[in-house]
Each structure stands twice: as C-alpha cells, then as structure tokens.
C-alpha cells in the first residue's frame, strides 16, 4: 500500500498531560509562596496555600472543592427516593382503572363474578406493595390492565438489577423470558464463583470461564475476580446506603415488591445472596451510611443507587481536594473521577496544579534541610529576588522626578581608553571600535563585509572608566515584634531580598551585610532573614546592630561604607560591657548614649547613612531626625509599598550628602554614584 493510500484518524488526546502544552509558569507561584514564607509560613504550607487559592488564570483547589460541595448539595436538594414507588403506583392505578372499565362494559360477564371482582378492586390495600401482592393471582378481564400489571413486575425486576448492575434498567426493557433466564443463570454462576473465592478454591481459569460466558453483562471488563469484586461491591454498598436512606415504611414496601420482580421471588433471592457475598468479601465498603434526600424529583432504584455512588465519589474528591491529611499530595487526586463529576475542564485545572506542585519540588525551588523540612532553595531565592527587584524598578521609574536608571557611567567617568570586553564588565560599549573589529575580522576571514557583518563576543570593546569605589553596605533591619504586629514584617524582608539580589547580580564588587536587630542583633544570611518568624521579644537594640555594622566596615577599609537603617521604633536595648542585654522602656539615657556613640563611630569611618523611618510616631520622628543630623545623613519616611524602592534608590543615589524625596517626587538621595541599573 502506498503512503498516499493510508488513512489517518484523529481523536481527542487522552494519554495524560498534553505534550504540546506550554511549560508550567512558576513565576506567579514562586512569588506568592515567597510572600507567604516571608510572612512566617513554612514553604510546604505556602505551596499548599497557593494550590488552594490558584493563580491569576488558574482555578485553585478551593474553587474545585466548592463546585464539588455545590453538586453534592444539589443532588440532595433536587431529588427524592420515591421514583420507583411512584412508577409502580401509576401503573397500578392504570391497571385498576382499566379493569373497572372493562367490568362495567362486559355484558357477558356473570353478575356475581362481576360483583366479586369489583369488591376485590374496591377493597385493595392502601399500601401499594400490599395491593400489588393482592393482585398477584387476579385474573384480569382487561388486556390493557393485564399489560399494566405485567409492566409493574418487569419494572421491579429491571430496577432491582439496575441497583447492582448500572444500565440494566434500559438494557432489559422489553426483555423476553429467555433474557430473564439468562439473568438468573448469570446471578447463580456469579454467586457460585464468589462463594468459591471466599473458600479459597477458585482459580483464574474459573474467572475466565465465567467472563467468557457472561462477559457482556460487565462492560467494565474486569481482569480478575478482585477487580470484579471491587466494582460490584461499590455498587451494592451504594444500593444498601439507598435503602438506609429510605423511611422504614418505604423500605418495607420495597421489600414486599421485590418478591414480584419478573413475576417470581427467584431474582430477589439471588440478589440477596449476591449482596451477602459482596458484603463478606468487601466489609470495608460503606454498608451502613445514609443520606437525606429532600427534593421533588423522584429517582428509581437504579438512579438512586447511582446518586449514592456519585455522593460517595464526591466525598472522596472533596477529601482529596482538601489536602488536609498527612502526606497529602496532588498526585492523590483522581482526575478521571473529577472529570466525571465536574467535566474535563476541571480535570485540566487539577492536572495543571499537580504539574505545578511537581515542578516546584523537582526543579530545585524547594529543598529539604537537615531536619527534613522544606526550605526555599538558593535558586528560588534568586528567582524571587529578581521578581522583587523588577517591582522595585517599576516603582522607581514610575515616579515623577525619579532619576533615569539607564544613565551611562556605571563604573565612573570615562578615561578615553578602551579594552576588550570581559565577563562581568558593566562599562558601556565603544560602538565604533566594536563594529570596526567585526569588519576587520570579516575581511581577514576572506569575506566581503559588504555582504553583512556579524558581531562576535571577541569584537566587543568597552570604554574604560576611572575605577569605581567599592562599597561596604550594611542594611540594618528592625526585627522587633512591633514590625510584625503593624504589618511591616513582609515589606522589610522584601526590601532586604531586593537589595541583596541587586548587589549580588549587578554590583558584585560591593560587600553587603544584613543585620537584624531586636532584643539583640545578629548578622543574617538572606535565607535566614526571609524565613525568620516573628515572635514576642521586647527590645530594639540599635546599639548592637551598629556595633556589627562598624565591624563590617572595618573589614573592608578600602570600600565606601554605606549604612542603611530600617526601623519603626526608638532604641530600647543596648549591650552592656559584659555582653548582657539591657532593656528598658521608655528608652534609658544610657541606651541612647551607646547608640549615638556607635553612630558617631560609623560617621568617623566615613559611612553615608540613611534612616528609613516606618510609622508616624512623632517621638520616633524627632529621634531619627536628630540621629540623621548628627551622622550627616538623611531620613526617608516611605509608605510600606515603597520601602524597597526607597532603600534601593538610596543605594543607587548620589555620593555626596543629598536630599530624600518623598511622595510623588520619587525616592532618591543618600550617597549616590552607584551607577546604572535597568529594571528588566
């Protein structure tokens, strides 16, 4: 056969994740997780919270769980379990009415016989089940009445089968006596197989023989007896829960009617035997549960059993979506059941969330520490820092009067000389020399430059500048409990991470030290600071923080000291000569004196100081202003959302003493000369 003659079939892809789908975008998830981690959540809990909330264009687990709960509520409020009984009652009324009409019209009927029949019909029990039983041996005069009564027996048989084998009600409609005999034979063989299995004497060959003979009754196509048992037991348990959900009167009537199924008690006996076998084989199924149906739409036995199965499936999905049990993972979610209950779109949403969780765990963004707990990895911290830095750049460039962050002179004033570019250089390119190098190389390669020139890394030359002074930067952040209590905890961490990312990625020659000061101060790595929990601990020990900052400056004598202090309170603690912490509120004069002394030491070391005052406390404002004047520094009082832009702006600001701009005028000032940075 030639390739042209081959036919192709196209269908819906159902082989798992779409191979053509775009890769999972972790940026939004990582940003949200990082925010929660900085607020005090563990990375594991932060990831769980994001999966629950979802993203901008991604429905989360809570939304799916809400829809599951709504469907469950709708099933119970819309339906009741009277469907089969109502159908039987309608058919019985139809039969009795047709028979009475025939008795009235039949002039050949003996008057005594007519009277006896009318009396029997008149005195039928008010119970539908009892009335059906009373008419079991009645000789119908009306063909229409006889047909309606036979429909009752047929309906009961099909409903009872539909309870155990989904779809039987429709499949057995119009069934012949031969079809009913096949059903009875299948049930007898099935019970024999299950009882043999319970005794431990069955084999796979027994199962295979059963399926060859009766496989058309089992569209699920089970592979072995355990799969068959699972399918049948789930349905049978749902049928039992349906019975449990009925009133005692409804159950009693149904049991009476069961004997009339297909006109003989044999079917009911085989089904009762089957239920007993299944309950013994699968005692872990829910055989005792019940539900309360309160609606107006009646369901038959089969549909009601299906509804109970749906309710159990919805409960299972709700538990899976809650992810509230130990060791919960998105892989636990049954996507096939979710698609069956909420549609394919819901399954797609859940699959995306599962892929997102898997990507976060497997791409190195979450790492386990020595205690077995998850932590944000350095890779995640870099990614989160880039996002925060990008936000800072937007805030700075979006303010009126903000300086142009794309200005030249990143490394100082141009000297007029050029050199070949090397990795890490931030100096501007010398465009004429770069292009000239490319042309000369093209000619040397024997090519005509008029046909086009392609730049290579070796062609690039940069303009040499006067050596840029390195900086020793100390960022002091207040970690006292008031920072967390007043909502400043996360903005403080975001600011530290943004500055850390900027210096580590763009100004590698500068030396940054992060110092947290509460009751005492400590040098902290960025991972430690961002993961730090807020806890009640009295004291704002600025004195200790300045001691550590000055030690950092002395370690880098050739670098320009830069002191950035973020605080929302006056110093209330200091270190005693013996290393003990002294705390007193209101601030003790000795605490103020020790803090001022270390600030003076920083000024003597040449530190350019900027205070970032958070809050509107007038006493704090007076204290910070006096400290800034003494250090020949500046004060910035940013809104919380602008704290990162303020700190980064001060780091990038002019070298000499400057002015801090507030509000619509943008944030700038401090010490300056840091060069250019483009928020990409």
């Amino acid at each position: 056969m030639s390739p042209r003659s081959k036919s192709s079939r196209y269908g819906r892809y159902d082989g798992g994740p779409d191979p053509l789908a775009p890769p999972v975008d972790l940026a939004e998830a990582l940003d949200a997780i990082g925010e929660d981690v900085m607020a005090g959540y563990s990375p594991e809990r932060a990831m769980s919270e994001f999966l629950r909330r979802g993203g901008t264009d991604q429905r989360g687990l809570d939304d799916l769980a809400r829809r599951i709960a709504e469907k469950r509520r709708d099933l119970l409020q819309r339906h009741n379990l009277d469907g089969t009984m109502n159908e039987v009652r309608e058919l019985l009324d139809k039969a009795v009415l047709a028979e009475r009409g025939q008795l009235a019209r039949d002039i050949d009927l003996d008057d005594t016989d007519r009277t006896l029949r009318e009396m029997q019909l008149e005195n039928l029990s008010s119970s539908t089940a009892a009335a059906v039983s009373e008419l079991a041996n009645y000789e119908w005069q009306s063909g229409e009445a006889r047909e309606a009564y036979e429909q009752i027996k047929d309906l009961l048989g099909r409903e009872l089968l539909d309870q155990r084998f989904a779809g039987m009600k429709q499949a057995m409609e119009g069934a012949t006596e031969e079809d009913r005999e096949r059903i009875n034979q299948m049930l007898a063989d099935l019970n024999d197989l299950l009882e043999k299995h319970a005794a431990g004497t069955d084999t796979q060959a027994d199962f295979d023989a059963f399926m060859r003979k009766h496989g058309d009754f089992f569209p699920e196509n089970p592979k072995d007896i355990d799969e068959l048992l699972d399918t049948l037991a789930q349905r049978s348990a749902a049928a039992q829960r349906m019975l449990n959900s009925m009133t005692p009167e409804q159950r009693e009537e149904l049991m009476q009617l069961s004997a009339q199924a297909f006109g003989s008690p044999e079917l009911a006996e085989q089904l009762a035997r089957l239920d007993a076998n299944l309950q013994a084989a699968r005692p872990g199924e829910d055989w005792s549960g019940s539900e309360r149906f309160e609606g107006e739409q009646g369901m038959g036995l089969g549909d009601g059993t299906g509804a109970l199965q749906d309710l159990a499936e919805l409960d299972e999905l709700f538990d899976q979506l809650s992810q509230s049990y130990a060791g919960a993972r998105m892989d636990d979610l049954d996507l096939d059941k979710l698609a069956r209950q909420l549609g394919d779109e819901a399954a797609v949403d859940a699959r995306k969330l599962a892929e997102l969780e898997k990507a976060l765990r497997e791409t190195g963004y979450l790492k386990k520490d020595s205690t077995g707990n998850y932590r944000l990895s350095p890779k995640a911290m870099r990614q989160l820092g880039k996002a925060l830095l990008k936000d800072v750049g937007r805030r700075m460039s979006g303010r009126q009067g903000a300086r142009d962050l794309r200005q030249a002179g990143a490394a100082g004033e141009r000297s007029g000389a050029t050199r070949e570019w090397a990795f890490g250089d931030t100096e501007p390119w010398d465009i004429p020399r770069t292009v000239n190098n490319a042309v000369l190389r093209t000619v040397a390669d024997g090519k005509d430059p008029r046909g086009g020139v392609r730049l290579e890394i070796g062609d690039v030359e940069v303009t040499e500048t006067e050596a840029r002074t390195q900086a020793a930067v100390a960022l002091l952040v207040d970690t006292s409990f008031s920072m967390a209590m007043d909502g400043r905890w996360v903005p403080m961490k975001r600011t530290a991470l943004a500055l850390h990312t900027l210096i580590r990625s763009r100004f590698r020659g500068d030396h940054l030290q992060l110092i947290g000061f509460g009751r005492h101060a400590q040098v902290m790595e960025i991972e430690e600071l961002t993961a730090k929990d807020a806890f009640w601990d009295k004291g704002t020990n600025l004195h200790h923080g300045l001691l550590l900052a000055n030690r950092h400056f002395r370690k880098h004598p050739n670098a320009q000291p830069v002191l950035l202090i973020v605080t929302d309170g006056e110093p209330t603690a200091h270190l005693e000569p013996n290393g003990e912490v002294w705390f007193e509120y209101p601030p003790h004069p000795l605490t103020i004196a020790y803090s001022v002394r270390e600030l003076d030491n920083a000024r003597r070391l040449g530190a350019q100081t900027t205070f970032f005052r958070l809050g509107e406390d007038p006493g704090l404002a007076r204290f910070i202003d006096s400290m800034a004047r003494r250090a020949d520094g500046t004060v910035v009082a940013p809104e919380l959302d602008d704290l990162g832009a303020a700190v980064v702006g001060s780091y990038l600001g002019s070298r000499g003493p400057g002015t801090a701009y507030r509000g619509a005028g943008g944030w700038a000032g401090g010490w300056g000369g840091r060069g250019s940075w483009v928020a990409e």
Side-chain angles (χ1 to χ4, degrees):
M1 180 182 293
S2 67
R4 290 179 178 274
S5 63
K6 291 183 178 179
S7 61
S8 299
R9 289 188 177 182
Y10 298 90
R12 177 180 171 188
Y13 178 78
D14 58 357
D18 184 356
L20 300 179
V24 179
D25 182 9
L26 298 178
E28 182 183 10
L30 189 59
D31 187 46
I33 291 171
E35 189 87 2
D36 284 345
V37 168
M38 288 188 283
Y41 286 15
S42 70
E44 188 83 358
R45 182 184 173 192
M47 179 174 66
S48 298
E49 288 298 315
F50 179 78
L51 294 174
R52 292 174 67 85
R53 294 192 304 263
T56 304
D57 299 313
Q58 170 69 59
R59 279 184 287 269
L61 296 177
D62 281 350
D63 182 71
L64 295 174
R66 175 187 57 78
R67 293 170 61 191
I68 289 288
E70 287 175 353
K71 183 171 182 180
R72 191 186 201 287
R73 185 168 58 250
D74 181 69
L75 271 174
L76 294 174
Q77 293 180 351
R78 186 187 297 264
H79 300 97
N80 63 54
L81 300 178
D82 288 334
T84 297
M85 204 57 79
N86 289 338
E87 284 191 75
V88 170
R89 190 174 294 113
E90 289 175 6
L91 288 171
L92 180 63
D93 290 344
K94 180 181 177 181
V96 171
L97 182 62
E99 181 69 7
R100 282 175 172 166
Q102 180 63 29
L103 293 176
R105 291 190 301 271
D106 192 350
I107 59 175
D108 297 327
L109 186 65
D110 180 76
D111 288 342
T112 302
D113 189 20
R114 187 198 322 274
T115 301
L116 290 173
R117 290 177 180 277
E118 288 176 345
M119 288 178 62
Q120 184 176 358
L121 295 178
E122 185 68 29
N123 293 310
L124 284 174
S125 171
S126 59
S127 164
T128 301
V132 171
S133 298
E134 290 167 5
L135 293 172
N137 298 315
Y138 181 82
E139 295 181 3
W140 298 93
Q141 299 299 302
S142 166
E144 181 184 356
R146 184 183 304 107
E147 180 181 358
Y149 187 79
E150 291 298 323
Q151 286 178 358
I152 291 176
K153 295 188 288 184
D154 181 72
L155 171 66
L156 290 171
R158 290 187 291 118
E159 286 281 17
L160 288 175
L161 286 172
D162 205 36
Q163 270 195 306
R164 278 74 173 185
F165 307 92
M168 276 290 194
K169 182 178 180 180
Q170 290 74 28
M172 291 296 293
E173 192 168 6
T176 63
E177 192 62 37
E178 182 180 353
D179 294 329
R180 294 167 184 162
E181 182 56 36
R182 277 195 66 214
I183 288 287
N184 286 331
Q185 185 61 55
M186 182 273 291
L187 289 172
D189 291 346
L190 176 59
N191 279 316
D192 289 343
L193 178 63
L194 296 183
E195 287 162 4
K196 195 173 182 180
H197 178 72
T201 59
D202 67 315
T203 65
Q204 183 66 31
D206 295 330
F207 173 80
D208 293 339
F210 174 82
M211 290 300 294
R212 280 194 300 273
K213 185 177 180 181
H214 302 297
D216 54 326
F217 289 106
F218 304 94
E220 303 88 357
N221 194 27
K223 303 303 180 188
D224 54 39
I225 193 169
D226 286 319
E227 286 190 17
L228 178 63
L229 275 169
D230 289 340
T231 301
L232 293 175
Q234 288 172 9
R235 183 81 178 176
S236 181
Q240 183 60 51
R241 292 196 300 277
M242 180 184 176
L243 288 175
N244 300 341
S245 303
M246 292 179 170
T247 64
E249 293 78 13
Q250 287 175 317
R251 281 197 298 274
E252 179 63 29
E253 285 203 297
L254 184 60
M255 297 306 295
Q256 292 183 37
L257 286 172
S258 297
Q260 301 298 319
F262 288 153
S264 76
E266 183 179 357
L267 176 63
E269 291 169 0
Q270 288 286 7
L271 291 176
R273 181 184 168 195
L274 176 62
D275 289 341
N277 286 330
L278 292 173
Q279 191 162 355
R282 293 292 185 269
E285 292 288 340
D286 183 7
W287 300 92
S288 59
S290 63
E291 298 289 350
R292 185 174 180 180
F293 291 87
E294 300 176 326
E296 298 181 357
Q297 296 181 12
M299 293 185 295
L301 299 182
D303 289 340
T305 299
L308 266 297
Q309 275 191 298
D310 283 343
L311 289 171
E313 201 164 84
L314 291 169
D315 289 342
E316 182 182 352
L317 287 169
F318 190 85
D319 288 341
Q320 292 172 2
L321 290 167
S322 72
Q323 296 279 289
S324 58
Y325 49 91
R329 297 284 292 268
M330 284 298 300
D331 290 343
D332 301 340
L333 191 58
D334 191 321
L335 297 181
D336 291 334
K337 290 181 179 179
L338 188 64
R340 189 160 55 244
Q341 295 297 337
L342 296 185
D344 293 336
E345 188 177 343
V348 170
D349 287 334
R351 180 179 285 117
K352 287 181 180 178
L353 291 172
E355 291 171 358
L356 180 64
E357 181 194 48
K358 183 178 180 182
L360 285 168
R361 294 183 188 276
E362 295 183 356
T363 55
Y365 286 117
L366 296 180
K367 293 289 187 183
K368 281 189 176 181
D369 60 18
S370 58
T371 65
N373 296 318
Y374 278 99
R375 290 286 182 264
L376 290 179
S377 67
K379 179 180 179 181
M381 296 300 295
R382 289 193 298 271
Q383 190 70 24
L384 182 58
K386 288 178 183 178
L388 294 176
L389 196 54
K390 187 175 181 180
D391 179 64
V392 166
R394 283 196 299 265
R395 290 181 179 277
M396 293 176 68
S397 61
R399 292 186 174 277
Q400 300 176 7
R403 60 176 33 82
D404 183 3
L405 296 179
R406 299 177 180 269
Q407 62 185 323
E413 296 301 322
R414 300 187 183 189
S415 66
T418 64
R419 59 176 171 79
E420 184 178 351
W421 177 87
F423 178 77
D425 282 341
T426 59
E427 290 82 1
W429 286 18
D430 188 308
I431 301 300
R433 286 184 177 274
T434 297
V435 174
N436 186 59
N437 290 340
V439 171
L440 293 176
R441 179 182 47 76
T442 302
V443 172
D445 291 341
K447 299 177 182 178
D448 187 346
R450 289 175 295 181
V453 175
R454 182 182 296 274
L455 289 180
E456 295 183 357
I457 289 296
D459 301 327
V460 178
E461 290 200 26
V462 294
T463 301
E464 286 193 335
T465 58
E466 298 295 337
R468 175 174 63 84
T469 302
Q470 291 182 328
V473 185
L475 175 62
L476 277 64
V477 290
D478 190 340
T479 57
S480 61
F481 190 73
S482 62
M483 290 283 286
M485 189 169 57
D486 294 330
R488 298 161 186 153
W489 196 251
V490 173
M492 173 270 289
K493 292 183 177 182
R494 290 170 63 93
T495 297
L497 182 53
L499 182 62
H500 176 273
T501 301
L502 176 62
I503 292 177
R504 290 292 184 265
S505 61
R506 304 297 176 88
F507 302 102
R508 299 183 183 92
D510 289 353
H511 310 283
L512 172 65
Q513 187 165 87
L514 302 173
I515 300 170
F517 62 98
R519 188 176 184 85
H520 65 276
Q522 65 180 116
V523 176
M524 309 178 78
E525 296 297 326
I526 187 62
E527 294 82 6
E528 183 182 4
L529 176 60
T530 53
K532 182 177 176 61
D533 288 333
F535 59 92
W536 178 255
D537 192 16
K538 294 180 180 179
T540 303
N541 200 332
L542 179 61
H543 167 238
H544 192 186
L546 290 170
L547 279 170
L548 296 177
N550 289 334
R551 186 176 67 181
H552 176 58
F553 297 150
R554 293 187 183 101
K555 285 183 179 179
H556 305 282
N558 296 323
Q560 168 67 57
V562 180
L563 180 60
L564 308 172
I565 303 171
V566 178
T567 186
D568 70 344
E570 300 174 69
T572 56
H574 67 267
L575 280 185
E576 289 284 278
N578 61 1
E580 294 294 323
V581 173
W582 173 286
F583 167 79
E584 185 169 324
Y585 183 84
H588 192 278
L590 192 58
T591 299
I592 300 297
Y594 278 178
S595 301
V596 169
R597 185 181 68 186
E598 284 307 313
L599 186 65
D600 289 343
N601 289 336
R603 182 172 61 82
R604 281 191 287 271
L605 290 170
Q608 302 294 326
T609 302
T610 304
F611 286 91
F612 300 90
R613 174 173 56 80
L614 304 180
E616 301 298 329
D617 179 21
L620 173 64
R622 288 191 296 271
F623 172 78
I624 294 294
D625 287 343
S626 65
M627 292 282 279
R629 285 194 299 271
R630 186 179 186 95
D632 199 17
T634 57
V635 178
V636 178
E639 297 294 330
L640 284 179
D641 288 344
D642 290 319
L643 178 59
V647 171
V648 170
S650 180
Y651 170 72
L652 294 170
S654 61
R655 255 209 177 89
T659 303
Y661 300 99
R662 305 204 303 175
W667 300 108
W671 65 287
R674 301 315 307 150
S676 66
W677 160 61
V678 179
E680 298 174 350

